[in-house]
Amino acid sequence: MTTANTRSKLPFRQSLLPLPDPPPRHPDEMTTVDQLHEPGLTHSLSQFLGNPDSTLVTGERYIIREPGAPATERRAPDLLIAFGVDPVAYRRRNGYVIAEQGKPPDFVLEVASPSTADTDVGAKRNDYEGFRIQEYWRFDETGEYHGTRLAGDRLVGGRYEPIDIAELSGGALQGYSAVLNLYLRWENGKIGLYDPATGKHIPTYESERAARLQAEAQVEREREARMLAEARVRELESELRRRDNQ
């Protein structure tokens, strides 16, 4: 005997109305676009993590505890990642409702800007801890606004504890996300995501394009080498026939 997925068939009552869009971003918050969206990092991360039917890689929509939560309890992180959830419900709601998803998001990240910096390191940290989000990361292109260029907190016993950040050669900073099983890295003012298994950055538009061009160039080199070899064989065969006819 099977049962229907009643959650997906709930009537569209007032309590199920979509959440409002967060207010328009302040112009100085365009660092999020520069760091996450224009380089295609959000898409690359979504492709790398896989399981689109149960994994959310999104952002800039509200998180709330339950329907009807007051506006003062809403937060809209720059990047949100949640495993084992219902992306359809998220899209229908235009946001993440913890009570409906059955769990909080696993990971959030904020990119620093002058207008949000104080909130990122203060009230948002407190709220994400209260939401029981496993990891909260902060990235600051210059270190001017958050007071550090890369920082993360991990939920331990219901409270956030700082994640160790290591300094690498060349001044890069790196910390390990246990939730994502990836290294987050600050390097030359840009955010990067590195796979511990390979030591390499997760595939991106640029790296995949470069790999494709390299493969195509290798195929072309092999084709040219084959053509030269075939031409050399023909020359030798012609030379042998010429000698046989003398």
Side-chain angles (χ1 to χ4, degrees):
M1 178 179 177
T2 59
T3 57
N5 183 350
T6 56
R7 181 171 63 175
S8 65
K9 297 182 179 180
L10 288 173
F12 198 71
R13 299 187 301 270
Q14 176 66 29
S15 64
L16 294 180
L17 290 174
L19 294 169
D21 289 336
R25 286 186 170 272
H26 190 280
D28 68 28
E29 295 181 60
M30 293 305 290
T31 49
T32 301
V33 175
D34 297 337
Q35 292 288 346
L36 299 178
H37 305 319
E38 284 190 356
L41 192 61
T42 305
H43 174 78
S44 299
L45 185 55
S46 178
Q47 295 297 304
F48 181 81
L49 295 175
N51 300 316
D53 291 338
S54 60
T55 299
L56 267 176
V57 181
T58 184
E60 301 180 7
R61 291 290 181 271
Y62 283 128
I63 305 171
I64 61 173
R65 294 179 188 272
E66 57 189 6
T72 54
E73 296 181 6
R74 300 171 183 166
R75 289 298 179 193
D78 293 325
L79 178 63
L80 175 156
I81 299 172
F83 301 104
V85 294
D86 185 353
V88 174
Y90 173 85
R91 290 189 289 271
R92 184 181 65 224
R93 270 298 198 176
N94 192 40
Y96 195 102
V97 183
I98 295 173
E100 291 178 354
Q101 293 288 357
K103 54 169 287 190
D106 296 281
F107 175 106
V108 293
L109 178 142
E110 299 284 2
V111 178
S113 67
S115 62
T116 65
D118 289 344
T119 306
D120 290 346
V121 300
K124 282 186 180 180
R125 184 181 185 276
N126 294 335
D127 288 343
Y128 293 149
E129 181 183 76
F131 288 159
R132 298 297 185 262
I133 296 172
Q134 286 298 309
E135 289 185 0
Y136 171 39
W137 287 82
R138 296 171 296 285
F139 180 87
D140 188 338
E141 182 177 337
T142 65
E144 178 181 357
Y145 305 114
H146 286 166
T148 184
R149 294 170 292 181
L150 180 67
D153 290 297
R154 182 174 295 121
L155 202 63
V156 178
R159 302 300 299 271
Y160 274 151
E161 292 187 1
I163 295 171
D164 291 336
I165 303 296
E167 184 168 355
L168 309 180
S169 60
L173 299 175
Q174 179 171 279
Y176 177 67
S177 167
V179 165
L180 304 183
N181 188 28
L182 290 172
Y183 286 113
L184 276 73
R185 186 179 297 179
W186 180 102
E187 189 167 22
N188 298 322
K190 297 293 182 183
I191 189 170
L193 298 166
Y194 287 79
D195 185 352
T198 64
K200 297 180 180 179
H201 197 285
I202 65 172
T204 63
Y205 291 137
E206 292 183 359
S207 66
E208 290 179 344
R209 179 175 181 273
R212 184 177 67 253
L213 292 175
Q214 185 178 11
E216 291 172 353
Q218 179 63 26
V219 169
E220 181 62 20
R221 287 193 295 270
E222 292 173 355
R223 187 185 71 85
E224 292 176 354
R226 185 172 62 253
M227 292 177 64
L228 288 172
E230 291 172 351
R232 180 58 179 159
V233 169
R234 288 193 295 270
E235 289 176 2
L236 291 173
E237 290 174 344
S238 178
E239 178 64 18
L240 288 172
R241 286 194 297 270
R242 186 184 64 78
R243 291 180 180 180
D244 289 342
N245 292 331
Q246 285 182 349

